[in-house]
Amino acid sequence: MTAAQTMSRVEAPLKVTGAAKYAADHTPPGTLHAVLVGAPAPAGRITGIDTAAALAECGVVKVLTAKDMPRFGEVKPPAAVLSLPLQENIFRFEGEPVALVLAESIEAAEAGRAAVVVRFDAATPVLPGSGWREPPPTPRLLGDDVALGDAASGLAQGAVKIDQAYFQEARHHNAMETAATVAQFENGKLTLWDSVQASGNVPPVVAAALGMNADDIRVICPHTGGGFGSKGYVWPHQIIAAAAARIVQRPVKLHLRRHDQFVCVGYQPRLEQRIQLAATRDGRLTAIVHEAVNACAIADTYVEPATEASKSLYAAPAIRTRQWLERSNINVPTPMRAPVEGPGLWALESAMNELAAALEIDPLDLRLFNHADVEPMTKKPWSSKKLREAYQEGARLFGWAGRDQRTRQDGPWRIGYGMATSTMGSFRFAAGARVRLKADGTARIEANTHDIGTGTQTVFCRIAAEELGLPIENVSIAWGDTRLPPSGPVYGSSATGGTGSAVALACRELKAQLGRLGAGNDPRTLLGEAGLPEIVADGAFTLPGGAPFNANGDGTPFAMSTWGAIFVEVGIDPEFGLVRLRRAVGAYSAGRIINLKTAISQMTGGIIWGWGKATMEESVQDPTTGAWLAKNLSNVAVPVNADIPSDITIHFVEEYDEHASAIGARGIGELGATGVDAAVAAAIFDAVGVRIRELPILPWKILGEHAPG
Ligand code: MOS
């Protein structure tokens, strides 16, 4: 790593000194604090809400129920919930907002919430796991059911077959900063201090709900304390906070309690997947059939398009996919870090490892035999693909070929090795950015981007510094305000490629302006001689047909995706079923890497996230009501430092993708989390011969016992 590649985060001093202000840190004068009251049961009809006791609490100003709320206008995606709460007397999941307590302090609001009595007639809930299955509505953003070739005859032709079901439990994002919206009306215009991954998504949705003009809504979000997808779309609490502020004509702060996070901002749904693979004796796939069922709400829809993984990863002549929803009385899920291929690879890559074992072929060789040189469904060339190099370099760094010569025992620990392919589609969003180059030799980027901890501002500063030939310390960035030039969202592993391209294009336009001012490149001289305090340029990253979004290169001559290979070594204590990560190597093909330090952090974090999914995370539901059992973070298991070895190696294949973006990058954020679970399951099988097909892989599953209790 060169010094330039180790650029640390530009916003880090703000965060470590506590100067960074998050949404809920804003308290305009006169602010009322709001707390949601949730439905006390999974299904029913409200017969009355007694607010007298709540209103008697010192400091409680108002309790708003459906009777007080305006009839919301129709909202569309990126609204996460289309059937908005507080509109009728029916509720469809435990915790669905049924009232809002407003008070002079958060303590008073909490006391008021506890005193609200919701009277209701309970209905019999449809319980998770016993819901009805139906195909998701069309059109779908992703997850269309496809058929390539003849899957039935492909399955029949195979000499060796795998037909297995793979499960994963629901899990929540559990971001450190719970979602928060501070809403303030002034002269009919609305300002929201909001904790989001895409503030540009908020005005159109809130405007539609409240019957406002989106241009009259400003969203400010300087820092986002983690999101992982839970702050990507627009959720009811954002609309409710704004509606309440309009009703009471005072600023309203709605900072979700940790409890609310489980029901108000989505989660990754429970998934059941079935994979059928068939292959010739020498390991050529003849068919892939992939079906996925995700748990879903009654009134709202989220499809977890896990089958996407099977459409493009391997060169099978026959591929068939099918998505299903299973509806029950729960809140609606949403994308969560490494959606789509993340869940999909748990199934596909587990099945590939089982196929390799059945064929007695090295699992890495099986992947190489079936490498997709072109996109399997469309036969389009890839914009750039260096997966073979990633396999090779990952295997070399890990010592994959020599693994059987290594020790298999370390004290009580039995050691196993596993691998899987990583992949994540290439999401691209149209994005803009403005760059000002000043006569003092500094540059300022203006872009309504956000940072959820990935280092976006840092990466954009670096792009501008490189493009303009300036020292990095001369570049600054303004972000997190809808008054800035609209940029892409910070989700879908898309921000660097999209907004980063817009920054680069603005800088290239500035260089052209400098060129017109005269020879030489020193902006101080050129601007000084021209008597200009600054020059300004806008950059726009555009997509085919002027679309706001493009998935996987659709509508272009190229297919786009990202890939990698993950290798893990685990230790199992066979007496207790304990499982430990000992080391991991991830090698990736994701286009150009802009800033190696933050990129390595992203992938390391992804592997840790994947380890959590593989061995710890599950959001348990009460089997009699479907309600999430967790009300706070106690008993919510996620990896901590003691769970993670220092021996995690990240490698990026040298690559420049000229088709995916203006800076050679595709995207990395979520890629690192994919495939880890399947690699871990394979390593456990390698160590102790237990094949586990249900996430998370808890000790009792390794011991082969039944669920405790
Ligand atoms: Mo991620 S689920 O794209 O925030």
Side-chain angles (χ1 to χ4, degrees), residues 437 441 443 461-472 474-475 507-508 511 514 521-524:
L437 181 60
C461 287
R462 179 163 175 168
I463 290 168
E466 279 183 4
E467 292 281 344
L468 295 170
L470 296 175
I472 275 168
N474 284 18
V475 181
C507 292
R508 289 171 201 169
K511 279 197 294 189
L514 283 177
N521 249 337
D522 188 337
R524 284 166 300 190

Side-chain angles (χ1 to χ4, degrees), residues 159-455:
V160 177
K161 283 166 213 170
I162 298 294
D163 182 354
Q164 288 293 350
Y166 302 90
F167 298 87
Q168 65 177 71
E169 285 297 348
R171 57 196 191 121
H172 280 80
H173 308 77
N174 295 319
M176 263 206 281
E177 179 207 22
T178 60
T181 303
V182 179
Q184 179 175 32
F185 275 92
E186 278 171 320
N187 306 319
K189 299 198 189 240
L190 172 63
T191 302
L192 299 171
W193 288 268
D194 209 358
S195 177
V196 291
Q197 292 175 241
S199 56
N201 281 348
V202 180
V205 173
V206 172
L210 298 193
M212 292 178 66
N213 184 337
D215 293 337
D216 290 336
I217 301 175
R218 178 186 182 189
V219 182
I220 302 172
C221 176
H223 297 283
T224 306
F228 313 114
S230 67
K231 295 168 180 170
Y233 298 149
V234 184
W235 293 93
H237 72 270
Q238 291 158 287
I239 294 166
I240 291 169
R246 190 165 67 179
I247 290 168
V248 296
Q249 289 295 307
R250 285 175 67 172
V252 166
K253 180 190 294 193
L254 177 51
H255 189 187
L256 296 192
R257 300 174 306 145
R258 185 56 70 177
H259 177 182
D260 300 326
Q261 286 287 120
F262 293 94
V263 286
C264 290
V265 290
Y267 58 97
Q268 188 165 74
R270 178 179 186 277
L271 277 131
E272 183 182 328
Q273 299 180 69
R274 180 182 176 198
I275 299 273
Q276 297 174 79
L277 299 178
T280 59
R281 278 266 165 242
D282 58 355
R284 313 282 155 175
L285 286 167
T286 56
I288 302 174
V289 177
H290 189 163
E291 287 186 73
V293 189
N294 70 266
C296 191
I298 300 271
D300 270 283
T301 296
Y302 172 70
V303 183
E304 185 61 66
T307 56
E308 286 292 310
S310 291
K311 296 178 188 174
S312 65
L313 193 49
Y314 296 115
I319 298 171
R320 195 173 68 211
T321 70
R322 191 99 198 246
Q323 291 278 155
W324 297 91
L325 299 175
E326 183 181 316
R327 295 195 185 272
S328 65
N329 283 101
I330 54 171
N331 49 311
V332 72
T334 203
M336 175 164 146
R337 187 179 188 182
V340 192
E341 289 87 351
L345 286 193
W346 158 239
L348 177 62
E349 288 299 281
S350 289
M352 285 293 281
N353 283 329
E354 295 197 47
L355 179 64
L359 289 164
E360 297 181 342
I361 290 178
D362 187 296
L364 177 54
D365 290 337
L366 181 65
R367 270 90 177 176
L368 288 167
F369 292 161
N370 294 286
H371 181 272
D373 296 335
V374 296
E375 202 282 322
M377 306 296 303
T378 60
K379 313 294 187 237
K380 286 198 292 186
W382 299 106
S383 59
S384 172
K385 182 177 188 180
K386 302 220 180 281
L387 175 57
R388 286 185 190 280
E389 291 86 338
Y391 283 134
Q392 186 179 16
E393 194 55 18
R396 190 187 69 76
L397 289 165
F398 188 80
W400 180 253
R403 66 192 183 284
D404 289 335
Q405 278 82 61
R406 299 171 78 100
T407 176
R408 287 286 176 163
Q409 192 81 33
D410 179 8
W413 301 100
R414 295 261 284 277
I415 296 167
Y417 306 97
M419 64 85 56
T421 310
S422 301
T423 190
M424 178 59 59
S426 242
F427 294 164
R428 299 186 301 157
F429 291 86
R434 182 169 298 147
V435 181
R436 295 175 189 277
L437 181 60
K438 296 176 195 284
D440 64 0
T442 64
R444 185 159 181 83
I445 303 164
E446 298 171 357
N448 182 29
T449 185
H450 303 282
D451 193 310
I452 50 174
T454 54

Side-chain angles (χ1 to χ4, degrees), residues 658-706:
E658 61 181 313
H659 304 298
S661 68
I663 53 174
R666 285 196 299 278
I668 56 170
E670 298 170 292
L671 174 63
T674 68
V676 178
D677 39 21
V680 167
I684 291 169
F685 181 78
D686 188 47
V688 292
V690 181
R691 188 69 80 181
I692 295 171
R693 303 185 182 93
E694 280 183 43
L695 296 182
I697 304 173
L698 299 173
W700 63 265
K701 296 180 188 174
I702 293 174
L703 294 174
E705 292 173 5
H706 297 292

Side-chain angles (χ1 to χ4, degrees), residues 614-632:
T615 64
M616 295 183 187
E617 288 180 54
E618 63 177 331
S619 294
V620 180
Q621 288 166 279
D622 182 330
T624 63
T625 65
W628 304 107
L629 286 180
K631 302 299 178 205
N632 51 47

